[in-house]
Amino acid sequence: LSPGAKMGCFTFIKVMMILFNLAIFLGGGTLLGVGIWVTVDGQSFLDIFGAVSSSVLQVVNVSYFLIVIGAILLVIGFLGCCGAQKESKCLLMMFFSVVLIIFIAEIAAAVVALVYTGLAETLLTAVVTPLLREKYGADKSLTHIWNVTMREVDCCGLNNYTDFTDSPWYNEHKTYPASCCKDLQPCNETLAAHSNVSGCFHQILEEIKTNAGVVGGVAAGIAALEIAAMAVSMYLYCKLDQK
């Protein structure tokens, strides 16, 4: 290619890099804002978006998840956008490194999820079950999140109804959440055990297995975007030496 054509190609890729990372930056800011909204007033958020409350994110505290993901996307978008616009080798290398670390972490998480599903369940149980026993019935936001989740996913607790034993709700009402007894009342221990409603962890795993093609496609798409982003940032980094 002629020098002019090479320069035109460089400029085009630079502009695409800026626009792509600007979109990531804005998306990250949106997620961060939503995460803060959920933290401050989670019930109003779920009242508006109750139809999507059966997502995997409802099993854990969605607000902290959104804040972390939003912050990461803000950093990535800033580094990529500024690195390309200012033609800064330092920022471009930082962008490449951050995306590479995230890419490796995603692969590691996927391997752990596939090979050590039992370990993931154990870790979640160690974190979520004490939270339910401490705050379900006392924390209105957490209680509402779990009620909507259990109703939408048709599940009970993380593992089963025993996750709610000795919770503020159980201590006050001497019953378990209605979802643990298929909405039959009163939802006492005998009826909950007889109903044998699956835990939300197992239900979500089944949904993921049922929609494995969609999940795999989304994961592959994200991985392809990350690889493309790393390739473009490295291309710009190397071309800056030739300018």
Side-chain angles (χ1 to χ4, degrees):
L1 294 176
S2 65
K6 290 181 179 180
M7 183 57 65
C9 181
F10 175 85
T11 303
F12 174 77
I13 292 177
K14 173 184 170 179
V15 171
M16 289 297 100
M17 179 81 167
I18 293 172
L19 293 176
F20 176 72
N21 283 283
L22 180 60
I24 291 178
F25 183 84
L26 294 175
T30 301
L31 288 179
L32 185 61
V34 171
I36 295 173
W37 174 21
V38 175
T39 301
V40 174
D41 190 8
Q43 186 154 342
S44 69
F45 176 84
L46 286 174
D47 288 340
I48 296 173
F49 298 102
V52 298
S53 60
S54 61
S55 67
V56 177
L57 298 181
Q58 295 298 331
V59 175
V60 295
N61 196 322
V62 65
S63 60
Y64 296 133
F65 182 87
L66 290 176
I67 289 172
V68 171
I69 297 299
I72 291 173
L73 290 179
L74 275 175
V75 171
I76 292 175
F78 174 80
L79 292 175
C81 191
C82 289
Q85 197 276 329
K86 296 181 178 297
E87 298 186 2
S88 169
K89 294 180 66 176
C90 178
L91 291 177
L92 287 172
M93 181 53 67
M94 288 175 65
F95 172 84
F96 177 87
S97 300
V98 171
V99 175
L100 179 61
I101 290 171
I102 293 173
F103 182 73
I104 294 173
E106 287 172 348
I107 293 176
V111 171
V112 170
L114 291 173
V115 179
Y116 300 106
T117 303
L119 176 61
E121 180 178 4
T122 301
L123 292 175
L124 277 175
T125 300
V127 174
V128 177
T129 301
L131 188 66
L132 289 176
R133 290 181 177 171
E134 178 185 348
K135 295 188 175 182
Y136 185 84
D139 186 316
K140 290 184 179 180
S141 179
L142 181 140
T143 303
H144 187 65
I145 287 173
W146 273 92
N147 284 341
V148 174
T149 299
M150 292 188 292
R151 185 170 62 250
E152 295 290 337
V153 184
D154 191 22
C155 59
C156 172
L158 184 68
N159 296 299
N160 53 45
Y161 72 95
T162 60
D163 291 342
F164 298 101
T165 302
D166 294 329
S167 66
W169 173 273
Y170 183 82
N171 291 333
E172 179 181 351
H173 301 281
K174 301 303 178 184
T175 61
Y176 293 96
S179 298
C180 298
C181 298
K182 300 180 180 178
D183 292 328
L184 297 176
Q185 297 290 346
C187 188
N188 53 36
E189 185 172 1
T190 302
L191 185 56
H194 180 73
S195 299
N196 196 29
V197 179
S198 299
C200 295
F201 182 84
H202 300 288
Q203 286 292 92
I204 289 171
L205 277 183
E206 288 302 317
E207 289 190 18
I208 291 175
K209 290 176 182 177
T210 302
N211 300 283
V214 176
V215 174
V218 171
I222 293 173
L225 283 175
E226 290 171 341
I227 292 172
M230 288 188 288
V232 169
S233 64
M234 190 51 59
Y235 168 83
L236 294 176
Y237 180 89
C238 293
K239 285 296 180 179
L240 289 175
D241 286 332
Q242 302 175 14
K243 290 189 67 177

